[in-house]
Amino acid sequence: MIYIIIPALLIVIGIFVYKESSGYRTSEYVLHTDKEIPGTVRFVMLSDLHDTDVTHDKNAKLFESVAAAEPDFVILSGDMVTSYTEKKVRDSAAFDLMSKLSGRYKVYYGLGNHEQRIREDERRFPGKYSEYESFVKGLGIEILSDTYTDIADKNIRIYGYDIPMEFYKRGVRKRIPEGLIEQTLGAVDERKYNILLAHTPDHFEEYSEYAPDLVLSGHLHGGIIGFPGIGGLISPQLSLFPEHAAGHFHKGKTDLVVSRGIGWHSIPIRIFNKAEIVVITITQESRGNTDGNQC
Ligand SMILES: [Fe+2]
């Protein structure tokens, strides 16, 4: 009997894990602001594509899902590629998606640890980052690497912070020194709605001291396995039950939205933790925040 039950159980578990790890959802957040913005502003955030062809059609269906949200613009919050991928830029799933997105939307791109690693390790990845950067810029995508840009008609400023690699180290959580973010990016402009792209949410405390209105992060892939009511299991830095694995958080003046990511790398498993497109609406209407509604 046991020879039937155990294989049957393994098959059921295999099907369950496969189904949980496949596909994606759209998660919606509505955030209130007192800042002067024209009506409502709606945008899509995609994080941690890791060069995945999510919909197995050169990301065509994924692009249609983004378009269905009718965003004003699109934000890429890092790790669109994976540093150990040996593909040429133009053969990549990241190329397919970014080409489609930039053909219809203004796209803003904050770097993740994988892009930074490619850029900083010239010996291991000779010429790869400059090829990648010129391709992305050639599409008209704005890379925000330790700089900011204004969306004047929406009174929004977007900052992209390249978190120094020492703050990604495994096993230790080293605090970003006080004042370093402001030294890098300049003070936030209080008259504008300020969005900070900071790839890992592990330093939310330091980001909240910089005091933008909103921080957008990813990196943790939702913690791989989600425990309802507790959160994600593990971070890429190998810390268990990271505080900000996914979802909406608030500290001081600052909201934080963390994406579960849209792609996969290394461990292609997700349980109770669907890949996601994040749609964020910012409004002056005071009906309160809406968190992570799935649609
Ligand atoms: Fe990352």
Side-chain angles (χ1 to χ4, degrees):
M1 195 64 175
I2 199 151
Y3 297 109
I4 298 170
I5 290 172
I6 290 178
L9 203 61
L10 289 175
I11 289 168
V12 169
I13 290 170
I15 292 170
F16 170 75
V17 171
Y18 174 77
K19 287 194 90 169
E20 280 291 308
S21 305
S22 307
Y24 58 91
R25 70 184 195 190
T26 298
S27 301
E28 293 225 21
Y29 297 85
V30 179
L31 303 175
H32 170 77
T33 182
D34 294 324
K35 299 274 176 78
E36 287 293 327
I37 57 166
T40 60
V41 176
R42 184 175 170 83
F43 63 90
V44 162
M45 167 176 57
L46 294 172
S47 193
D48 300 271
L49 178 73
H50 287 291
D51 206 13
T52 308
D53 186 357
V54 178
T55 45
H56 309 291
D57 57 358
K58 298 195 167 193
N59 281 321
K61 285 196 200 79
L62 177 59
F63 170 72
E64 289 309 323
S65 298
V66 171
E70 300 183 347
D72 296 314
F73 54 90
V74 173
I75 284 179
L76 308 176
S77 53
D79 285 3
M80 292 299 285
V81 289
T82 296
S83 59
Y84 48 72
T85 305
E86 292 305 322
K87 286 180 205 163
K88 288 274 178 213
V89 169
R90 286 184 182 278
D91 294 330
S92 73
F95 171 88
D96 295 328
L97 184 61
M98 287 193 277
S99 302
K100 291 175 177 75
L101 291 172
S102 60
R104 194 177 298 182
Y105 304 105
K106 180 69 190 173
V107 181
Y108 304 95
Y109 187 166
L111 302 184
N113 53 312
H114 280 262
E115 290 95 345
Q116 285 182 225
R117 192 178 301 134
I118 294 167
R119 183 176 63 186
E120 289 173 24
D121 196 342
E122 183 62 28
R123 193 182 55 81
R124 194 169 155 208
F125 309 106
K128 193 166 175 181
Y129 185 78
S130 53
E131 180 199 7
Y132 183 68
E133 184 186 51
S134 61
F135 145 71
V136 173
K137 286 183 173 171
L139 291 173
I141 292 174
E142 196 162 350
I143 295 179
L144 299 171
S145 172
D146 283 342
T147 187
Y148 63 79
T149 192
D150 288 331
I151 308 177
D153 63 333
K154 308 222 177 286
N155 198 31
I156 285 177
R157 177 167 286 182
I158 307 177
Y159 300 79
Y161 181 49
D162 294 353
I163 301 159
M165 292 302 279
E166 64 188 287
F167 302 109
Y168 280 107
K169 280 214 174 99
R170 287 195 171 135
V172 276
R173 189 204 171 278
K174 194 173 162 191
R175 202 178 190 283
I176 297 174
E178 200 176 336
L180 184 62
I181 301 174
E182 185 166 324
Q183 218 176 301
T184 307
L185 296 171
V188 291
D189 185 338
E190 292 292 341
R191 296 161 300 177
K192 295 181 165 64
Y193 187 88
N194 297 291
I195 299 175
L196 173 67
L197 312 185
H199 181 64
T200 175
D202 281 348
H203 301 283
F204 184 36
E205 194 174 318
E206 294 97 298
Y207 309 149
S208 69
E209 289 164 8
Y210 182 55
D213 298 281
L214 173 62
V215 179
L216 300 176
S217 300
H219 185 57
L220 303 191
H221 298 215
I224 311 292
I225 300 172
F227 290 89
I230 300 174
L233 174 67
I234 193 165
S235 80
Q237 272 61 55
L238 305 181
S239 61
L240 292 175
F241 298 105
E243 193 179 351
H244 307 107
H248 175 221
F249 307 86
H250 189 85
K251 192 176 184 63
K253 292 179 179 173
T254 305
D255 285 302
L256 165 69
V257 173
V258 184
S259 167
R260 294 174 190 275
I262 188 66
W264 294 266
H265 83 103
S266 302
I267 309 168
I269 287 176
R270 291 173 174 271
I271 297 172
F272 302 130
N273 175 37
K274 274 277 180 230
E276 66 182 356
I277 293 172
V278 173
V279 181
I280 297 177
T281 301
I282 301 169
T283 177
Q284 287 188 301
E285 286 175 27
S286 56
R287 58 185 166 163
N289 296 342
T290 307
D291 277 357
N293 282 352
Q294 295 168 31
C295 52

